[in-house]
Amino acid sequence: MELGMIGLGKMGGNMAERLRLGGHKVVGFDFDAGAVKRLTDSGSVGANSLEALVKNLSAPRAVWIMVPAGDPVDETIAKLKALMQKGDIFIDGGNSNYKDSQRRYAQLQAEGYKFVDVGTSGGIWGLQEGYSMMVGGDADVVEHLRPIFETLAPAADKGWGRTGGAGAGHFVKMVHNGIEYGLMQAYAEGFSVMEQKKSMNLDLAQITEIWRYGSVVRSWLLDLSNDALKKNPQLEGLEPYVPDSGEGRWTVMEAIDLNVSAPVITESLIRRIRSREDDNFTDRMLAVMRNEFGGHAVKKD
């Protein structure tokens, strides 16, 4: 099957390579000429413009968009619409807000195009391990794209599925990432407790290795933590700064809108935001209040 791909960063490039190895024709475009050259060197078709990408695909075309969420997706779709034909398929494989995906579906459907939203997980390991894909869109369109999903997934019948209509793929991926925030926070706090127990001189890499087998807390995140601790047991040279790409925030807002209590995910998001405060006014304010009402000592620079 033929697939156009826009956005050939680490994840997009790996996806293109997995598809090529699976026997699909991939035509890729990226503003980074180096990324296009890497695609061409691997045996796929590199395009130096959107026009060239579309010309190298047979109708009905399917184009997978891997660009940052928000305006870049809308801008890419707008440019492609001028080049593509009715019946062609737009696939958003990035981390878009599901409400934007529902809007894009409605607009494109009204104009005669097709749209599928794919929440994609797997990161830089997807080339070897396969990708988890949560797909939203019309059932017949998803079925048409089945060969693509079966190739990208860990197995043809594992790790992917249509979760519902337009927006459902990105909605499920949003919640997926919210859960991920909570899992990561729990691991981080647990390791921090053990690291502070200096009298026991615990080997955190050894402990993660023990937990990886038979334990109820074993997971891929634990496997990755094990690798990281083996390389850098004290996490030297790393800043305690944790960004977020938006899905955790959206999950918390959705929980509030639905009147669903989600304290773990919410707190993990707050902790990420707090990690970016070089000069934490909140903690200084707490120290001052403790000093005022109880005479507790305040540390000064």
Side-chain angles (χ1 to χ4, degrees):
M1 185 172 181
E2 295 183 353
L3 183 72
M5 180 162 285
I6 299 173
L8 301 172
K10 279 190 175 181
M11 190 166 179
N14 283 348
M15 294 176 77
E17 178 63 6
R18 189 172 175 92
L19 287 168
R20 184 189 71 81
L21 293 172
H24 301 281
K25 175 185 175 181
V26 179
V27 182
F29 168 76
D30 194 288
F31 287 108
D32 179 0
V36 176
K37 184 178 185 303
R38 286 192 294 273
L39 181 75
T40 304
D41 290 346
S42 72
S44 291
V45 180
N48 58 13
S49 67
L50 292 179
E51 290 84 356
L53 179 140
V54 172
K55 286 179 180 178
N56 273 283
L57 294 171
S58 303
R61 303 170 187 83
V63 179
W64 188 300
I65 301 169
M66 288 290 284
V67 301
D71 291 341
V73 179
D74 287 319
E75 291 165 3
T76 301
I77 290 174
K79 291 175 182 177
L80 282 171
K81 278 199 300 184
L83 305 169
M84 293 169 68
Q85 301 173 354
K86 292 183 179 181
D88 288 348
I89 305 169
F90 293 82
I91 307 164
D92 182 2
N95 285 323
S96 292
N97 188 295
Y98 79 95
K99 294 179 181 178
D100 287 335
S101 297
Q102 290 176 326
R103 169 179 58 79
R104 289 167 186 143
Y105 169 86
Q107 291 175 344
L108 289 167
Q109 189 80 356
E111 296 171 352
Y113 301 99
K114 302 180 187 301
F115 178 86
V116 173
D117 54 285
V118 183
T120 312
S121 181
I124 60 174
W125 297 95
L127 177 58
Q128 299 97 315
E129 304 289 337
Y131 297 89
S132 173
M133 291 166 291
M134 298 135 265
V135 186
D138 293 340
D140 61 327
V141 181
V142 174
E143 186 61 29
H144 174 75
L145 296 170
R146 174 180 287 273
I148 297 296
F149 299 133
E150 289 183 341
T151 302
L152 288 173
D157 59 345
K158 290 183 174 65
W160 80 277
R162 177 179 178 267
T163 57
H170 281 150
F171 181 84
V172 174
K173 177 59 161 54
M174 174 191 76
V175 177
H176 164 284
N177 281 29
I179 293 170
E180 178 185 292
Y181 280 30
L183 289 172
M184 292 174 70
Q185 183 67 27
Y187 277 130
E189 291 177 8
F191 290 133
S192 183
V193 170
M194 290 187 288
E195 193 273 335
Q196 286 297 312
K197 193 66 173 178
K198 304 296 186 183
S199 63
M200 289 189 176
N201 194 30
L202 299 172
D203 183 338
L204 300 187
Q206 179 211 22
I207 292 166
T208 57
E209 187 67 27
I210 293 170
W211 286 357
R212 289 176 64 205
Y213 302 97
S215 168
V216 72
V217 299
R218 65 186 184 272
S219 71
W220 189 36
L221 278 174
L222 187 64
D223 294 341
L224 297 175
S225 298
N226 178 257
D227 291 340
L229 288 167
K230 283 179 178 177
K231 295 173 186 173
N232 188 355
Q234 300 303 317
L235 305 184
E236 294 172 344
L238 300 176
E239 291 291 331
Y241 183 101
V242 187
D244 72 280
S245 55
E247 296 90 341
R249 295 173 184 242
W250 300 338
T251 304
V252 170
M253 290 187 285
E254 196 70 29
I256 293 170
D257 288 345
L258 295 171
N259 211 29
V260 173
S261 175
V264 172
I265 295 174
T266 302
E267 178 59 21
S268 66
L269 171 64
I270 299 303
R271 294 297 302 180
R272 289 195 178 200
I273 294 172
R274 184 169 173 171
S275 76
R276 304 164 208 165
E277 298 180 17
D278 293 329
D279 187 11
N280 193 301
F281 186 85
T282 304
D283 287 350
R284 287 191 288 132
M285 193 68 202
L286 286 171
V288 167
M289 286 189 284
R290 290 182 77 246
N291 175 260
E292 289 295 323
F293 71 70
H296 301 287
V298 178
K299 289 186 178 181
K300 298 183 179 180
D301 294 335

